[in-house]
DNA sequence: GTCTATAGATGGATAGAC
DNA sequence: GTCTATCCATCTATAGAC
C-alpha cells in the first residue's frame, strides 16, 4: 500500500469522527480561516456565518474560539502520530534503519502536504492555546519527535547512519516536512506524493553513512 | 573572518540605521511582540507603553501598525540578502560549489538563529502586510531564493552535486534554516554558531554527489 | 514630539425567544 | 439547536492642548 492511496481527501476526512454536522462544518471553516489568516485575525462571526449559521450558534457547539483551536490541534496531532505508528507497524520487522526512516519521512512529509491546512494550524497556531491545552498538545508532539529521534539513533548505533549530532539531525529531518506548510498550496502543480518522494530521498541522504 | 565574529548583537544592531531613539525603540518593541504573539495579537497600546510612551505617540513615528511590520520586514530581508551577497563576495573566486554553498548555508542558518525574532517575523507574519508592501518584500525573497538555487544548479552542472530535483533541493536547504525560528530560543544552551555548523554539514551532505 | 481624551469600529460572548 | 438582539471590553486611530 503506497502512502498516496492510503489516505482520503483532507479536512472532511480528518474530522469525520465529529458526528454533528454543524459542529463539523464550524470546525472545518475555523480550520480554513485559522490556516489562512491566523487564530487572532479570525473572527467567530466569520466562522459562524461562513458555516451558514448565526454568530451565536457557534457557542452551542464550542465554549470558545480557543476550544475550536484545541479541538483542531488535538485531532491533527493525534491523527499524525497514529499514522506514523501504523506505518511503522506495517513494515517488515527485519527492515533496516534506512528503510524504516524512509517510511517515516515519506509519511510525515505526505501528511504535511496532503493535510496542509490542518498541519499549518498544528505547527503555527499553538501559541494561542491556553496553558493546559498547550501542555496536552506538547505531550503528543514529544511522542512524535522521540519516535523520529529513536530511529535516527538506532541507525547511528548500527552504523547505517552517520551524523554530527542526533538531536540536530532529527530537527533537520522534521524541518524538511514541517516547513512545507509555510509555502505549499495544493492544486498548483506540485503533488503531495511528489514532495514526499523528493524530501524522503534528500532526508535519507542527509543522514546515511 | 568567521560568521560568528562578523555580527554584533541582535535587533539593536539590525535597526541601528533608525536614528530617532523613540522610533527605534518602538520598532524593537513591536518586533518582540510580533515575534512572541503575532501581528494581530499585538496591540499598538502595548507597543507604545512598553516603549515608555503614550498610546498616541506611536503615530508620530509610524502611520499604522502595518507600517511597522513593513519596516521590520524590509530591514530584515534587505539585511539578510546583503549579508549573503557579502559572504559570497568574500570567498576565493576559484572556490568550488561545495565551498560556496557551505558559506551560504552557514550564513543563512546563523542569521535565522542569531536574529531569531527578526527572522521569525520575516518568515511568519508577511500575510499581514498590504498587497503593495507584500509585493516589495516578495521581490527581495525571490532574490535570495534564486541566489541559493543558482548555486545548487551550478554544483549539479559541474558534477559536484546530485539531487533528484534542483527546485525541491533548494526548498529543502532553505527549510533547514528557516524552520529554526519556529523552535529556537536564544540563551538556552544552543548557540547560533553550533546550529550553523551542524546544519551546514547536513545540508551539504544532502546535495553532494 | 509627547501628552490626555476620545471617537469610531469591531469582536467575544451572553440573554432569552422560538 | 438556532435565531435576534445586545452587552461590554478592546483596539486602531485621531483631535487638540502643551
Amino acid at each position: 500500500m503506497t502512502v498516496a492511496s492510503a489516505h482520503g481527501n483532507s479536512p472532511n476526512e480528518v474530522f469525520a469522527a465529529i458526528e454533528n454536522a454543524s459542529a463539523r462544518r464550524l470546525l472545518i471553516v475555523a480550520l480554513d480561516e485559522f490556516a489562512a489568516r491566523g487564530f487572532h485575525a479570525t473572527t467567530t462571526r466569520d466562522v459562524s456565518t461562513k458555516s451558514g449559521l448565526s454568530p451565536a450558534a457557534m457557542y452551542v457547539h464550542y465554549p470558545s474560539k480557543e476550544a475550536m483551536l484545541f479541538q483542531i490541534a488535538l485531532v491533527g496531532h493525534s491523527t499524525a502520530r497514529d499514522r506514523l505508528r501504523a506505518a511503522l507497524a506495517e513494515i517488515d520487522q527485519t527492515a533496516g534503519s534506512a528503510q524504516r526512516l524512509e517510511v517515516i519521512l515519506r509519511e510525515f512529509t505526505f501528511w504535511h502536504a496532503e493535510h496542509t491546512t490542518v498541519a499549518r494550524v498544528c505547527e503555527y497556531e499553538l501559541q494561542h492555546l491556553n496553558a493546559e491545552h498547550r501542555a496536552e498538545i506538547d505531550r503528543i508532539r514529544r511522542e512524535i519527535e522521540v519516535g523520529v529521534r529513536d530511529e535516527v539513533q538506532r541507525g547511528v548505533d548500527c552504523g547505517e547512519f552517520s551524523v554530527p549530532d542526533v538531536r540536530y539531525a532529527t530537527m533537520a529531518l522534521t524541518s524538511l516536512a514541517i516547513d512545507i506548510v509555510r509555502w505549499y498550496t495544493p492544486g498548483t502543480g506540485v503533488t503531495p506524493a511528489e514532495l514526499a518522494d523528493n524530501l524522503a530521498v534528500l532526508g535519507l541522504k542527509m543522514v546515511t553513512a
Side-chain angles (χ1 to χ4, degrees), chain A residues 2 26 44 50 56 62 72 75 108 116 119 158 188 199 207:
Chain A
T2 69
L26 281 162
T44 57
K50 282 187 179 161
Y62 304 95
I72 292 167
V75 173
F108 204 54
T116 310
C158 77
T188 52
L199 293 182
V207 298

Side-chain angles (χ1 to χ4, degrees), chain A residues 14-15 71-81 111 118 122 144:
Chain A
V14 178
F15 298 117
Q71 189 66 17
I72 292 167
L74 185 61
V75 173
H77 281 89
S78 307
T79 309
R81 177 202 53 193
W111 164 266
V118 182
C122 285
I144 294 174

Side-chain angles (χ1 to χ4, degrees), chain A residues 1 51 89 92 149 186 195 197:
Chain A
M1 182 165 66
S51 301
D92 179 2
R149 195 170 66 223
L195 261 177
D197 284 344

Side-chain angles (χ1 to χ4, degrees), chain A residues 19-162:
Chain A
E19 292 189 8
N20 182 286
S22 289
R24 191 171 59 249
R25 196 163 53 243
L26 281 162
L27 208 65
I28 292 174
V29 171
L31 165 68
D32 287 341
E33 297 293 310
F34 292 167
R37 275 168 260 297
F39 177 76
H40 235 90
T42 300
T43 70
T44 57
R45 279 176 159 76
D46 233 36
V47 171
S48 291
T49 49
K50 282 187 179 161
S51 301
L53 296 168
S54 75
M58 191 206 90
Y59 291 92
V60 173
H61 302 283
Y62 304 95
S64 68
K65 189 169 79 158
E66 191 266 354
M68 302 190 83
L69 176 61
F70 175 61
Q71 189 66 17
I72 292 167
L74 185 61
V75 173
H77 281 89
S78 307
T79 309
R81 177 202 53 193
D82 294 347
R83 287 202 174 155
L84 274 179
R85 281 186 183 162
L88 281 178
E90 271 179 22
I91 319 179
D92 179 2
Q93 288 307 304
T94 64
S97 284
Q99 197 184 334
R100 287 177 64 85
L101 186 63
E102 190 184 343
V103 167
I104 290 175
L105 293 179
R106 205 174 280 274
E107 192 71 36
F108 204 54
T109 306
F110 187 84
W111 164 266
H112 279 79
E114 176 74 358
H115 304 285
T116 310
T117 58
V118 182
R120 184 174 296 154
V121 172
C122 285
E123 302 299 351
Y124 292 162
E125 304 297 326
L126 301 184
Q127 74 212 85
H128 303 294
L129 290 172
N130 68 36
E132 288 162 41
H133 286 161
R134 178 62 190 263
E136 196 165 336
I137 297 300
D138 280 344
R139 272 195 291 278
I140 308 178
R141 292 183 72 85
R142 264 192 300 277
E143 287 179 33
I144 294 174
E145 200 219 319
V146 168
V148 180
R149 195 170 66 223
D150 284 352
E151 284 301 328
V152 176
Q153 185 66 61
R154 216 165 301 171
V156 168
D157 290 344
C158 77
E160 279 189 68
F161 298 159
S162 169

Side-chain angles (χ1 to χ4, degrees), chain A residues 113 180 183-196 198:
Chain A
I180 287 173
W183 59 268
Y184 182 65
T185 313
T188 52
V190 180
T191 68
E194 200 180 333
L195 261 177
N198 272 274

